[in-house]
Amino acid sequence: MVQSLANPLAIREPLIVRLLKVFGVAAINGLVLNAIVFGINMAMGLSWNLSMVVCIALYTVVMLSSVLGTLTPMVLEKLGINPAMASGPFITIANDLLGLTVYFTVAHLLLL
């Protein structure tokens, strides 16, 4: 996304097409990671409930991180801030906080 903001002529697809591709890749990544994590959890003999909490939280974080990583550079550019300089640190911190919040929220909702 940052590259397309820096050189809009490099990518000739409409924004909505690029966003759909980003979210499609995120969904595939989330499903593949979930299959791997669920398989490992089951092989280790962990409970089904714990495995589901981890998988739901993981998929949610992957999708939300994709949204955040896509929209943050666009918002920063609209605010007049160089997205190449500010996106990395902001997205990293936001994803860490988001990941913990989602994990504990899913655990709280499903295990209590």
Side-chain angles (χ1 to χ4, degrees), residues 3-4 7 19 21 24-25 43 45 55-56 59-61 64 69 73 82 87 91 93 100-102 105-106 109:
Q3 181 182 8
S4 66
N7 187 3
L19 290 176
K21 284 183 180 180
V25 169
C55 287
I56 290 170
Y59 187 80
T60 305
V61 169
L64 289 175
N82 182 358
S87 292
I91 292 171
I93 292 169
L100 285 171
T101 303
V102 167
T105 301
V106 170
L109 292 174

Side-chain angles (χ1 to χ4, degrees), residues 70-85:
T70 301
L71 296 180
T72 299
M74 294 167 53
V75 170
L76 291 174
E77 183 188 42
K78 294 287 184 197
L79 295 174
I81 300 170
N82 182 358
M85 296 296 289

